[in-house]
Every structure is written in structure tokens, then in C-alpha cells.
DNA sequence: CTGCGTGTTGCACA
DNA sequence: GTGTGCAACACGCA
């Protein structure tokens, strides 16, 4: 599920549990998840070191080390943290395990292994080198309109393109466009500046609210397309339309063809 | 038992 | 460089 709000919630969990403790031992059980990184770069740079602060850019999480660079994690579709005190009876699965000197462990778990693990010398340099766009919660309205307006593909695809804006995933893109009443297949560059500002406003509002609620889905029920990802449902806007499913840009899209207008 | 997906990369090709 | 579409990763779920 992880989109920007979930990653922010994972960041809080990490901040609460894993800062300022000396790292004793690191185990990597999923070397296939390494992202532009050698296994020894992760192990050697973490062991004996201390996490001092964390950062998030879009869906990427970084834990900055006291001495050298930062641990990079991406949660893919099923990634999560589990901080625990080990006992001899049960052992937990992990892709990456950080054992602290105080005896507790932080497991980065990812059953589907679609996440990423890495080490970067410099976070900003990494983001720039990879070409990721500004974070969805930090980008200015002006910059948002400018970068989105250049694109000649479906607005949904543009919102989800991490190299345009970082942090919006499939589910939130559907919800944002539903609230903006714009059809997800509308071509980005034919939308007016006013329409893009509307999209920007909804993007900010929804993401902020989801972050405030700690990405707790039970508290985000009011968002129709986060909650209902099915076709043929009655549109809650009372437009008498029914939800539709379509693959857009290779991703599953849900929308109301009746109240979301399509432009070009 | 089959098919699908909340994410991303990397490739071939227009 | 921009955009499209696919396969790949592995697993839970309907």
C-alpha cells in the first residue's frame, strides 16, 4: 500500500524506535533487493554506526548515519518495519535486519520483495542523479503547474510519474482526480492552469490529511476511491453515474465517467 | 486453480 | 528526450 502517507508513517515509527542507538550487526537476507548498491556497502557503513535522523522523498525513506551517508529503503508494495525485542522461541522474517547494541532489532520486512535496499553517500545527490521530481507535499503550485503542463500523456500517468512529482501512487491518483472531477485519461498538456491548480489543491489536501491520520485506512474512509476500488458502484456525488474500471498507462484506474470530465 | 495487483526498473520500439 | 507496453520481482487474496 505504501504511497507517500504510509512512508511518512513508517518514518515516524523509525524515529520513535531506532534513532541514536549503536548498530551492532546488520543482516541482509534479500540481496536481490539491493538498489545500485553492493551488499558490503550496506553492512560496512551501518555496523558500528548510529542513525541520527531520517528523511523522506516521495516514497523513498532515508536513515542518515552519524558517520557515512544514509541507508535507503523503498517499501514497494508490502514493505514495513517491525521493531522488537528478540526472544529465543520465535524468529521473524526480514529482508534487512538491524540489531542494536541495546538488544532490540529493527526488521525491514517485505513479503513480496518489491522494495529496495541501498546505501547512498548523499541523499540530495541521489535524488538528483535518479531524476526524481519534487516531493508531492513540498512542491509549489507554480512548479507543479509548470512540470505537469509539459506532459503529453494521461494526467493520471503524469501524477504517478515519480520523475514528475514524487509520492503519488495509484490509489491516491484516482482519488485526487475524482475530487478534481477530471477524467484520468485527460491529456495533461491540454488541461488549463486553473484545472492543474485544482488538482494541486486536492493533492495537497488529501496527502496532508492522510499523513495527519498516520495513513490509517479506517480514518480515510471518506475518500471514495481509496476505499472502493471496484467498477459499477453508484457514484457518491449523486451524479447518477457508476464507477468504471480501465487500464491507463498500464495501471488499474477507477473513476466516475459521469462527473469526471475528459479533456482531449 | 487461475488471475490479479497498492511499485519500480529496464528493455524494445515508435 | 518522450511515450507505450511488456516482463520481471514474490506473495496473498478472491
Amino acid at each position: 500500500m505504501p504511497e507517500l502517507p504510509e512512508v511518512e508513517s513508517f518514518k515516524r515509527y523509525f524515529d520513535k524506535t531506532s534513532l541514536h542507538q549503536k548498530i551492532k550487526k546488520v543482516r541482509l537476507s534479500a540481496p536481490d533487493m539491493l538498489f545500485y548498491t553492493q551488499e558490503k556497502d550496506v553492512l560496512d557503513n551501518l555496523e558500528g554506526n548510529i542513525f541520527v535522523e531520517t528523511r523522506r522523498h516521495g516514497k523513498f525513506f532515508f536513515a542518515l548515519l552519524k558517520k557515512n551517508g544514509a541507508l535507503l529503503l523503498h517499501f514497494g508494495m508490502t514493505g514495513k518495519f517491525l521493531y522488537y525485542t528478540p526472544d529465543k522461541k520465535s524468529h521473524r522474517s526480514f529482508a534487512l535486519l538491524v540489531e542494536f547494541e541495546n538488544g532490540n532489532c529493527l526488521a525491514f520486512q517485505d513479503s513480496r520483495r518489491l522494495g529496495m535496499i541501498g546505501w547512498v553517500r548523499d541523499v540530495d545527490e541521489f535524488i538528483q542523479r535518479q531524476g526524481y521530481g519534487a516531493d508531492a507535499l513540498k512542491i509549489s503550485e507554480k512548479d507543479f503547474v509548470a512540470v505537469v503542463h509539459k506532459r503529453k500523456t494521461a494526467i493520471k500517468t503524469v501524477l504517478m510519474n515519480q520523475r514528475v512529482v514524487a509520492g503519488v501512487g495509484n490509489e491516491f491518483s484516482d482519488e485526487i482526480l475524482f475530487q478534481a472531477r477530471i477524467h484520468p485519461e485527460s491529456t495533461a498538456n491540454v488541461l488549463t492552469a486553473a484545472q492543474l491548480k485544482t488538482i494541486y489543491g486536492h493533492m495537497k489536501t488529501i496527502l496532508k490529511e492522510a499523513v495527519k491520520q498516520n495513513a490509517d485506512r479506517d480514518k480515510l474512509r471518506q475518500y471514495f476511491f481509496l476505499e472502493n476500488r471496484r467498477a459499477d458502484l453508484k457514484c457518491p456525488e449523486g451524479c447518477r453515474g457508476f464507477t468504471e474500471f480501465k487500464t491507463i498507462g498500464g495501471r488499474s484506474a477507477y473513476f466516475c465517467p459521469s462527473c469526471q470530465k475528459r479533456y482531449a
Side-chain angles (χ1 to χ4, degrees):
Chain A
M1 279 168 233
E3 296 191 27
L4 184 155
E6 287 87 349
V7 179
E8 190 66 29
S9 157
F10 294 141
K11 177 182 188 297
R12 286 178 189 157
Y13 182 85
F14 187 101
D15 288 345
K16 232 173 26 187
T17 58
S18 303
L19 292 181
H20 315 304
Q21 309 168 40
K22 195 159 183 185
I23 299 162
K24 188 165 76 181
K25 174 86 186 159
V26 175
R27 301 173 199 275
L28 180 68
S29 79
D32 52 312
M33 289 171 65
L34 287 168
F35 189 59
Y36 299 117
T37 303
Q38 301 298 313
E39 176 164 359
K40 69 170 176 49
D41 287 330
V42 176
L43 306 188
D44 294 354
N45 285 297
L46 265 61
E47 287 177 355
N49 216 328
I50 296 175
F51 294 121
V52 289
E53 63 170 300
T54 60
R55 285 183 58 185
R56 180 193 57 71
H57 184 92
K59 304 173 196 171
F60 278 95
F61 167 87
F62 303 92
L64 277 62
L65 294 156
K66 186 173 183 184
K67 272 176 79 180
N68 250 338
L71 168 69
L72 168 162
L73 295 174
H74 190 289
F75 295 86
M77 294 218 274
T78 52
K80 60 181 177 182
F81 286 137
L82 179 66
Y83 184 81
Y84 64 99
T85 306
D87 61 60
K88 284 170 186 140
K89 296 183 178 167
S90 62
H91 63 274
R92 269 97 164 171
S93 67
F94 60 85
L96 181 76
L97 184 71
V98 179
E99 301 176 24
F100 295 104
E101 287 211 329
N102 68 9
N104 291 336
C105 293
L106 178 77
F108 171 58
Q109 306 179 317
D110 186 358
S111 66
R112 243 178 111 174
R113 300 212 280 174
L114 293 173
M116 307 173 202
I117 299 167
W119 174 80
V120 296
R121 192 172 299 283
D122 183 277
V123 173
D124 294 312
E125 190 268 336
F126 166 81
I127 292 165
Q128 193 173 21
R129 176 161 38 89
Q130 291 291 112
Y132 297 126
D135 184 82
L137 275 181
K138 293 179 196 138
I139 191 169
S140 70
E141 183 186 74
K142 187 169 165 249
D143 288 349
F144 178 84
V145 171
V147 294
V148 173
H149 213 180
K150 287 183 204 159
R151 297 287 168 156
K152 297 178 177 153
T153 186
I155 183 66
K156 174 183 171 67
T157 306
V158 175
L159 286 181
M160 290 175 59
N161 184 341
Q162 303 301 301
R163 289 182 157 85
V164 176
V165 189
V168 179
N170 200 17
E171 296 189 343
F172 277 80
S173 71
D174 282 346
E175 181 60 27
I176 290 164
L177 292 171
F178 176 57
Q179 289 191 18
R181 303 211 171 194
I182 290 172
H183 192 292
E185 276 183 307
S186 300
T187 310
N189 73 335
V190 308
L191 296 173
T192 65
Q195 288 172 322
L196 294 180
K197 287 176 184 178
T198 302
I199 292 172
Y200 174 86
H202 288 295
M203 176 180 81
K204 277 284 174 91
T205 307
I206 299 165
L207 289 177
K208 269 194 221 162
E209 177 63 15
V211 165
K212 188 175 162 192
Q213 300 301 342
N214 219 22
D216 183 339
R217 301 302 281 232
D218 289 339
K219 293 176 183 158
L220 300 171
R221 291 261 172 83
Q222 72 271 32
Y223 297 119
F224 185 71
F225 278 120
L226 291 186
E227 182 73 9
N228 304 287
R229 300 193 63 70
R230 280 164 50 204
D232 302 320
L233 298 174
K234 196 186 220 178
C235 174
E237 292 301 299
C239 68
R240 313 184 103 232
F242 289 85
T243 62
E244 193 170 312
F245 166 84
K246 192 166 186 182
T247 300
I248 300 174
R251 305 303 305 279
S252 55
Y254 295 90
F255 56 97
C256 172
S258 168
C259 57
Q260 290 176 256
K261 264 202 202 140
R262 178 164 177 173
Y263 302 87

